[in-house]
Amino acid sequence: MLPAKCGSLVGFGYDSAGTTGLLNDLWTYDIATNQWTWISGSNTVNQTGNYGTLGTAAATNVPGARQASMSFIDLSGNFWLFGGFDLDSKGNPAALNDLWQFKAGVWTWMSGANVVNQTGVYGTQGVAAATNVPGARWSSAAWTD
């Protein structure tokens, strides 16, 4: 059974003016109406992220433009986005390890850094810890369990 709506986010492509670059636009597609709706991000390329406060949802939060990130939808229908080749909070292009949640129409920066090329903190294999975080990367894979 197909979901009633599905989404598309970010990548390298064309903006509203026909300029190519990194995008941070978030869209939903309604299968029943066969229509797209733009719901977040910019309509122009190469936008930096607005991170706000870690763990705090805000209407002004938005991930920076990126490509080759990974994403998934959790059991509650929330959209999650991790890393990619991105523009960080300062406009620097490279790998990021930022984790974002899109819930109820608002972005929250959940984990990772707001600047590029961060190393991972591995801790002890098999043991969860608040300080653990994957290093910056792009073209990674995702799954839900």
Side-chain angles (χ1 to χ4, degrees):
M1 177 177 207
L2 293 173
K5 292 186 179 182
C6 59
S8 175
L9 172 73
V10 305
F12 185 90
Y14 293 91
D15 68 9
S16 61
T19 305
T20 57
L22 297 173
L23 297 162
N24 74 337
D25 53 344
L26 178 64
W27 295 76
T28 61
Y29 179 76
D30 189 316
I31 294 169
T33 64
N34 196 32
Q35 295 180 344
W36 285 99
T37 304
W38 173 34
I39 59 173
S40 180
S42 178
N43 65 351
T44 58
V45 297
N46 302 331
Q47 300 297 308
T48 61
N50 186 11
Y51 286 76
T53 303
L54 187 66
T56 303
T60 55
N61 291 353
V62 65
R66 64 191 64 211
Q67 67 180 352
S69 56
M70 65 132 228
S71 60
F72 63 92
I73 297 173
D74 67 22
L75 293 175
S76 298
N78 303 313
F79 181 81
W80 292 82
L81 174 70
F82 176 76
F85 183 86
D86 319 61
L87 296 176
D88 69 9
S89 60
K90 299 177 182 181
N92 299 311
L96 273 169
N97 72 337
D98 55 346
L99 177 66
W100 292 84
Q101 179 189 50
F102 189 75
K103 178 180 179 179
V106 180
W107 285 105
T108 305
W109 172 36
M110 302 297 289
S111 179
N114 63 355
V115 292
V116 296
N117 299 332
Q118 299 298 299
T119 58
V121 178
Y122 286 79
T124 303
Q125 191 171 21
V127 178
T131 56
N132 292 353
V133 64
R137 65 194 67 202
W138 68 82
S139 296
S140 54
W143 78 93
T144 55
D145 185 7

